[in-house]
Amino acid sequence: MPELPEVETVRRGLAPVMEGARILSVEQRRPDLRFPFPADFTGRLAGRRVDGLSRRAKYLLAHLDDGLTLISHLGMSGSWRIEADGHDNVPGQFHHDRSKNATHDHVVFHLAPKAGGRARIVFNDPRRFGFMAFAESGELAAHPLIGKLGAEPTGNMLDGALLAALFGNRRAPLKAALLDQRLIAGLGNIYVCEALWRAGLAPDRAAGSIVAKSGGPTTACDRLAAAIRAVIADAIEAGGSSLRDYVHADGALGYFQHRFAVYDREGEPCPKLNCDGVVLRIVQSGRSTFYCPSCQR
DNA sequence: CGAATGACCTGTGAGC
DNA sequence: TGCTCACAGGTCATTC
């Protein structure tokens, strides 16, 4: 369920255990997820120390002490969980109650955390749309999965001018343009719906149509950029959002925001102040879009 | 090149 | 209870 905020939340959950930890061994329980695992996957990880854990768009990046980067993606249903390993206690961790069956536990990392003790982190993914890959030392920026990603929707990079430049004369609907990871990287179906609602823009408008010919003080592109950043920042702050089978890295469910302004709220009143619209569901390029036809134009 | 479609895979909830 | 169907937060490959 992971869009950027969920991946960032996972990163923050994993970092205290993974960063500085030595990888003792890795269990790989099947030959592939969405793609085959890299050659000698477990062999290249065993014995390495994790220098840092970062994120690019929806990719989680583990930087190893020999320069190798482990790239992982959660797909639609992937999750990580942390468990104590052996009899040692890992400080601050971690239940493994969760009557979750282990059927879809595909990869297990056995770690010696910096803080001491033993931990294991487990990658679970029922639908197996997730995957793992390596970027060789020095090749991360040009990696096929990473190199063509667009702007991060966090921080100051994303503003109205950038959106105007990206959208140009594109005829694709706003919804499709915002989902295109080559333009902005990290938005998914939920946060695109939410951002368009916040910006008051209809999802089926051509992306190019919101680019002002001669700009007023605040253009539609400015509003949209601000809305995207706010939606993402709020979600990261809330610890990400979850539905159904998403599991927080430390197993803490119920931590997340479960309600959205328009996403999955077909037929409900638009929550915007003084708007009497009703949330509509339409299908764009095969995926549900939720929006308010009254205040999104 | 941009845009639209199907494919990948399992689980869940709704409706009968 | 059990069956079938529609649908699910992502990306890639193929086609026009």
Side-chain angles (χ1 to χ4, degrees):
Chain A
M1 347 215 106
E3 300 184 29
L4 185 155
E6 287 75 19
V7 178
E8 177 59 23
T9 300
V10 168
R11 190 194 68 74
R12 292 179 186 187
L14 290 174
V17 178
M18 285 193 79
E19 288 186 331
R22 184 71 63 180
I23 300 172
L24 301 174
S25 64
V26 177
E27 296 172 52
Q28 176 196 329
R29 296 182 174 169
R30 49 174 303 125
D32 54 47
L33 293 170
R34 174 162 186 196
F35 306 118
F37 282 89
D40 195 22
F41 179 71
T42 60
R44 296 191 68 185
L45 293 170
R48 302 273 58 80
R49 189 185 67 234
V50 180
D51 283 341
L53 202 57
S54 67
R55 178 193 59 71
R56 175 74 170 100
K58 303 172 194 173
Y59 293 94
L60 194 64
L61 308 174
H63 306 279
L64 308 180
D65 61 355
D66 61 352
L68 190 67
T69 303
L70 171 64
I71 303 172
S72 66
H73 195 292
L74 296 170
M76 295 277 263
S77 59
S79 65
W80 290 95
R81 63 178 201 277
I82 307 170
E83 299 174 349
D85 202 358
H87 302 293
D88 295 326
N89 258 347
V90 181
Q93 313 306 333
F94 296 102
H95 358 53
H96 36 147
D97 42 359
R98 210 122 316 235
S99 47
K100 280 252 169 203
N101 61 32
T103 309
H104 302 296
D105 288 351
H106 303 309
V107 189
V108 180
F109 290 73
H110 295 271
L111 302 178
K114 195 172 46 177
R118 294 284 182 272
R120 58 177 180 267
I121 62 170
V122 182
F123 182 78
N124 179 284
D125 186 4
R127 284 176 80 179
R128 302 206 304 275
F129 286 168
F131 52 88
M132 296 187 192
F134 286 141
E136 303 299 329
S137 185
E139 295 179 6
L140 181 61
H143 191 279
L145 294 169
I146 303 293
K148 289 176 185 154
L149 292 170
E152 284 282 318
T154 53
N156 301 325
M157 311 268 233
L158 177 59
D159 59 15
L162 176 61
L163 280 189
L166 292 174
F167 288 172
N169 287 318
R170 273 174 199 268
R171 307 168 65 87
L174 278 173
K175 171 78 183 299
L178 293 179
L179 282 174
D180 187 337
Q181 304 295 300
R182 295 166 305 180
L183 304 181
I184 300 170
L187 298 180
N189 207 37
I190 291 181
Y191 295 112
V192 165
C193 292
E194 295 296 299
L196 287 170
W197 175 78
R198 283 210 203 194
L201 292 167
D204 54 355
R205 267 182 76 170
S209 77
I210 74 163
V211 179
K213 306 298 178 226
S214 57
T218 303
T219 68
C221 284
D222 292 329
R223 274 190 293 135
L224 181 55
I228 291 166
R229 286 167 50 176
V231 160
I232 293 299
D234 287 358
I236 289 176
E237 175 148 0
S241 307
S242 82
L243 300 171
R244 301 200 183 89
D245 50 350
Y246 183 72
V247 178
H248 183 278
D250 70 6
L253 288 170
Y255 179 101
F256 296 107
Q257 158 190 350
H258 281 268
R259 304 292 296 183
F260 301 98
V262 287
Y263 181 81
D264 204 22
R265 301 190 73 167
E266 182 181 19
E268 296 182 40
C270 173
K272 176 163 269 183
L273 209 57
N274 298 323
C275 177
D276 58 4
V278 173
V279 176
L280 205 63
R281 173 183 176 273
I282 61 173
V283 175
Q284 294 180 282
S285 40
R287 316 198 54 193
S288 290
T289 298
F290 299 87
Y291 77 109
C292 172
S294 173
C295 65
Q296 291 181 248
R297 316 217 139 250

